[in-house]
Amino acid sequence: MARRLRPVGPEFVETAALRLVFAREVAAPPEAVFSALAEDVSGWSEWFSAVTLARPTADGAGREVRLRGGGRFEETVLVARAPEVYAYRVDSTNAPGLRALAEEWRLTPAGRGTRVQWTFAADGTALFRATLTVGRSGLGRAFRDAVRALDRRLASAPA
């Protein structure tokens, strides 16, 4: 059953009770990475293995995302500033214990490539926060694998 979460703004990624930050460099330029994140939402399932479905909603102002294991999210895009920042918040989900969630993808040039930083900012019950803290390494591994797969996908895309 989907539950409505507390609406948060882009500042939540800096002020959340729980913030997990991961970063990795890729060979693709920031413009290509931003395009894959913000403009090719449906393509997320091709490079982020946890995602089984992603599609834009509300003429691109929102997203619907489904994860392996049955997680479902209705989201609102908070920031889409090419090629630097793509951020969204979760409006409703079936994930237990969650009260608020926003994610930010920050892209900065790194030589000829891009430094991709993903901030996962959440608030929830004590059990939710403890579970996420324990699961940090798994979330980090999912991020690394996804960004590696995205970089390979972008490298093989026709110019």
Side-chain angles (χ1 to χ4, degrees), residues 27-45:
E31 296 79 10
V33 177
F34 183 86
S35 179
L37 292 171
E39 298 163 10
D40 184 20
V41 171
S42 297
W44 279 55
S45 61

Side-chain angles (χ1 to χ4, degrees), residues 1 12 17 23 32 34 56 60 62 72 76 78-79 97 111 113 123 128 132 146 153:
M1 172 195 250
F12 187 70
F34 183 86
R72 299 176 123 169
T76 295
L78 299 172
V79 181
D123 183 26
F128 172 82
L132 198 55
R153 178 181 166 98

Side-chain angles (χ1 to χ4, degrees), residues 1 11 19 22 25-26 29 31 35 42 65-66 70-71 78 83 90-91 93 96 98 106 111 119 124 149 151:
M1 172 195 250
E11 72 286 347
R19 295 176 65 247
F22 307 97
E25 289 188 13
V26 298
E31 296 79 10
S35 179
S42 297
V65 176
R66 295 183 186 185
L78 299 172
V90 174
D91 296 316
T93 182
L98 191 55
R106 186 164 293 274
T119 302
D151 199 33

Side-chain angles (χ1 to χ4, degrees), residues 79-138:
V79 181
R81 186 173 59 243
E84 301 162 356
V85 181
Y86 184 61
Y88 44 88
R89 73 163 179 245
V90 174
D91 296 316
S92 65
T93 182
N94 63 349
L98 191 55
R99 294 185 185 130
L101 173 63
E103 298 178 38
E104 177 189 78
W105 296 78
R106 186 164 293 274
L107 311 174
T108 54
R112 293 184 181 188
T114 304
R115 180 178 187 270
V116 179
Q117 178 179 293
W118 178 45
T119 302
F120 186 94
D123 183 26
T125 63
L127 179 59
F128 172 82
R129 290 192 314 269
T131 300
L132 198 55
T133 300
V134 169
R136 176 187 176 89
S137 64

